[in-house]
Amino acid sequence: MKVLDNSGSGWTTWSILAEQWILASGNRPAVVSISIQANYNSYAEQASIDSLVAVGVTVVVAAGNYNQDACKWNPAWIPSAITVAAFGGTSGNSWDRSGYSNWGSCIDTYAPGTNILSTGPWSDTHTYSNSGTSMACPHVSGLAARMYEAYPTAGSLSAAARWSLLTATSCFGCVTNDATPIPTVNLVIKALSCNASDLTATPTASPTRSPTLLPTVSPTPSPTTAPTADKTRNPTPAPTDEEHATDDPHLVSLSGQKFDVNMPGSYVLIRAPEDQRRPAKLQLNASVRPFAGSPCGLYIQGVELSGEWLGDQVVRVVPLRRDVEGSNGAGNSTLRPFSVRVQSRRGDESTPAGEYQQWKGLRREGSGLSGRVRLVPVWRHVYADAGRAQEAEAFQFRIRGAGAGYDATLEVSQAAHQALNFRATNLRSLGFAELGGLLGTEAHDPTVEHVSDMCRAFRSKPSRLARRNRGALEELGGPSMAASWA
């Protein structure tokens, strides 16, 4: 199934739609092989792949080709999928880990990925050699298909039981030169008895550095038998310490408090540190107001980030704005796209003048706002708008914490009905035991839960207009806010 355009690009939504077609209409038994890479984690695709694995489908995915932690790439990070890294060195006739291959705790197995001969795109007889984890992934997919052939009832078994069948003969520790910043399982699934000398050399090809279509590859014989490794990454639910806020909105703070914000206004979502007597190292505010036609449904209309870690700068993110309130496609024209503005409080000439910049105007690698904060444009989860699935644009603020690297992430994404979503992860890395704000550890002001007089009056109206507006809002669902320590 083709899920990318002819240039090798596409939306996560397209993959999810293909996966859900297989779930509803595909033959059984089935193996889904996904050779795609994207630099984010899609929870919508996690749910989609989990649903396939739950009904006996084996899903195999490429680890990605950036010599990075596979857990930061989609769909390689998804626990229920089998994530495949590449070996073959630079020539294809080596047991060395391929230098381009992603690595880390999300890897389940290695497979040959360098100079793999397959069918080509130019004619029915064209052959083509290429390198990448997109080539390694189908090797394992083919072995999974052979597993179903040998065990026709495997689809009725658990994912862990299917993994045990798949790895019944395998080589543990065969991949060489596999030193990576994060330990990676050294496992190669074996189908036929072979030796390293059976791997024949072919001309060197450069690693694939962009998403590729799924090639048709015959399984390559794998190394000699060694003890079986148990698959430890079974399907897992979302972390229980992740806090949510949906509809108008529902919140669960880091301290576990569950409540709604029912009063329009500007609120502090996160403040580091919590102690108001100390200057804020980082503070994120959100402005919420009612959706068109109802004073009861509150939606995030702006997010502002400031604090000492940003120096004298204030960063503001605003949602898409159309000439008519409603869905993201309402009206006839866009008044303002999903945008970010970096502004100096003092008007320092060394900082941007304060113009709003569109998401698509930022370079993929983003820009450094300070020594502690980097702004990066990313794709995020799928959301529903006007009955259609949409893929969200997002701005990530990557915050360098107590350890090395940008550890904490504050993410603001476009949501339905011209509003924003917000998510924060790994807040523990900021180095504070307590954080302020509605999503922090402090107790919130209970008055934020009080329903406004305008909302109370609206709900009491018996008119068909009020009922219709309430129903429309319930169908839309609301934006979300979430924060987690990990």
Side-chain angles (χ1 to χ4, degrees):
M1 299 177 70
K2 181 177 178 179
V3 297
L4 299 177
D5 62 23
N6 291 338
S7 66
S9 300
W11 303 84
T12 303
T13 311
W14 299 351
S15 295
I16 293 173
L17 290 173
E19 292 155 10
Q20 291 305 293
W21 184 91
I22 295 169
L23 179 68
S25 307
N27 294 329
R28 299 292 187 274
V31 178
V32 177
S33 184
I34 306 176
S35 289
I36 290 175
Q37 58 185 9
N39 189 15
Y40 62 89
N41 293 166
S42 171
Y43 294 96
E45 186 157 27
Q46 179 190 28
S48 178
I49 288 177
D50 285 353
S51 66
L52 284 169
V53 174
V55 296
V57 177
T58 295
V59 180
V60 186
V61 302
N65 304 325
Y66 281 86
N67 189 26
Q68 295 179 5
D69 185 356
C71 294
K72 297 180 179 179
W73 290 80
N74 195 73
W77 74 281
I78 297 175
S80 60
I82 297 172
T83 301
V84 185
F87 76 87
T90 59
S91 63
N93 63 345
S94 165
W95 289 106
D96 286 352
R97 182 184 71 87
S98 300
Y100 53 79
S101 177
N102 284 355
W103 35 259
S105 60
C106 287
I107 301 300
D108 292 301
T109 185
Y110 281 94
T114 300
N115 285 339
I116 303 302
L117 180 65
S118 180
T119 54
W122 308 122
S123 72
D124 291 343
T125 58
H126 180 223
T127 58
Y128 181 66
S129 291
N130 208 347
S131 299
T133 57
S134 289
M135 284 78 247
C137 172
H139 285 82
V140 177
S141 301
L143 295 177
R146 293 186 63 173
M147 180 267 293
Y148 282 112
E149 180 183 23
Y151 303 95
T153 61
S156 63
L157 302 176
S158 67
R162 293 197 301 274
W163 175 253
S164 294
L165 291 176
L166 185 59
T167 58
T169 54
S170 56
C171 181
F172 195 81
C174 284
V175 177
T176 54
N177 194 28
D178 67 332
T180 54
I182 298 175
T184 303
V185 63
N186 193 325
L187 171 70
V188 178
I189 302 172
K190 175 183 175 295
L192 300 173
S193 177
C194 72
N195 298 308
S197 59
D198 293 332
L199 296 172
T200 57
T202 53
T204 301
S206 300
T208 301
R209 294 294 181 180
S210 59
T212 58
L213 297 178
L214 281 66
T216 304
V217 184
S218 300
T220 297
S222 298
T224 54
T225 305
T228 301
D230 294 330
K231 180 175 177 67
T232 57
R233 294 198 305 114
N234 294 326
T236 56
T240 56
D241 61 350
E242 177 133 344
E243 288 64 47
H244 305 275
T246 57
D247 295 323
D248 41 51
H250 304 313
L251 292 87
V252 182
S253 69
L254 286 171
S255 60
Q257 299 178 72
K258 299 181 180 181
F259 59 98
D260 290 341
V261 171
N262 294 320
M263 298 293 288
S266 179
Y267 297 96
V268 178
L269 296 186
I270 293 174
R271 187 185 193 276
E274 177 186 14
D275 189 348
Q276 296 285 337
R277 297 169 297 181
R278 299 169 60 188
K281 300 297 184 183
L282 204 68
Q283 180 167 313
L284 189 134
N285 289 30
S287 173
V288 296
R289 69 171 181 84
F291 180 73
S294 170
C296 298
L298 301 185
Y299 299 89
I300 308 169
Q301 292 300 311
V303 168
E304 188 174 274
L305 184 66
S306 61
E308 289 186 348
W309 287 350
L310 281 166
D312 191 47
Q313 299 173 109
V314 177
V315 186
R316 182 171 176 80
V317 179
V318 292
L320 166 80
R321 178 61 51 80
R322 299 282 291 178
D323 57 345
V324 174
E325 286 192 310
S327 72
N328 290 347
N332 299 312
S333 63
T334 297
L335 302 180
R336 180 192 66 208
F338 175 60
S339 307
V340 63
R341 180 183 68 186
V342 182
Q343 191 172 32
S344 171
R345 284 196 177 100
R346 294 193 303 265
D348 190 334
E349 293 181 357
S350 66
T351 61
E355 296 292 331
Y356 278 103
Q357 188 171 7
Q358 298 182 34
W359 178 91
K360 64 181 180 182
L362 284 177
R363 296 173 299 175
R364 178 176 177 180
E365 63 270 22
S367 60
L369 301 179
S370 70
R372 299 288 299 257
V373 184
R374 187 170 187 83
L375 171 63
V376 180
V378 296
W379 287 113
R380 189 36 63 204
H381 58 80
V382 176
Y383 66 93
D385 185 62
R388 300 180 60 187
Q390 306 286 343
E391 184 78 8
E393 300 170 341
F395 293 112
Q396 273 190 358
F397 299 94
R398 300 178 182 177
I399 318 296
R400 181 163 56 85
Y406 292 91
D407 297 327
T409 300
L410 309 181
E411 181 179 285
V412 186
S413 60
Q414 178 67 49
H417 41 270
Q418 303 174 48
L420 298 173
N421 283 332
F422 173 72
R423 185 177 67 148
T425 56
N426 202 20
L427 295 180
R428 194 182 305 278
S429 71
L430 296 179
F432 297 97
E434 296 181 334
L435 297 176
L438 292 180
L439 296 178
T441 55
E442 65 180 350
H444 68 278
D445 183 349
T447 60
V448 303
E449 300 184 65
H450 295 173
V451 176
S452 68
D453 292 339
M454 291 181 63
C455 175
R456 191 177 295 106
F458 177 80
R459 287 177 174 174
S460 67
K461 289 181 179 179
S463 67
R464 289 188 301 166
L465 176 62
R467 289 195 296 270
R468 185 166 69 248
N469 284 345
R470 284 196 294 271
L473 289 169
E474 289 171 358
E475 287 181 7
L476 284 171
S480 64
M481 287 184 281
S484 66
W485 281 122

